Amino acid sequence: MIPLTPSVLQERTGCPREFLDVGNSDSLHTVVRLIDTLKVKGRYVALRHCWGQSQPYTTTRATRGRLMEGLSLHEAPATFLDAIKVPRLLGIRYLWIDSLCITRHNTRD
């Protein structure tokens, strides 16, 4: 079972720095984008998972720009696809996935 935790952004302090914008329940989007939370307020769903030895889907300074342009759902692993469906079904637009929303090797995150 995937541990999903609904949360609410009430204040800027202590909330994640970045989210994935998954669209809405009527969304036909086949792309999700990494966005800065300074630009949004609202509810979000979080996915924390075991990364294992291989980490093909992580955000680094080198990959951050590409994720802000959009990650094709055709490229995403099954765990991420399932996680993207949940907020859409709940009418929640934002998703936080640790490996994608925390920039590796960044002292700010």
Side-chain angles (χ1 to χ4, degrees), residues 5-17:
T5 311
S7 300
V8 178
L9 288 178
Q10 295 179 357
E11 296 181 25
R12 180 73 191 124
T13 304
C15 72
R17 183 171 181 270

Side-chain angles (χ1 to χ4, degrees), residues 24-39:
N24 57 41
S25 60
D26 297 329
S27 182
L28 298 176
H29 289 90
T30 58
V31 172
V32 295
R33 288 180 175 75
L34 187 66
I35 60 168
D36 192 316
T37 61
L38 289 175
K39 300 175 184 173

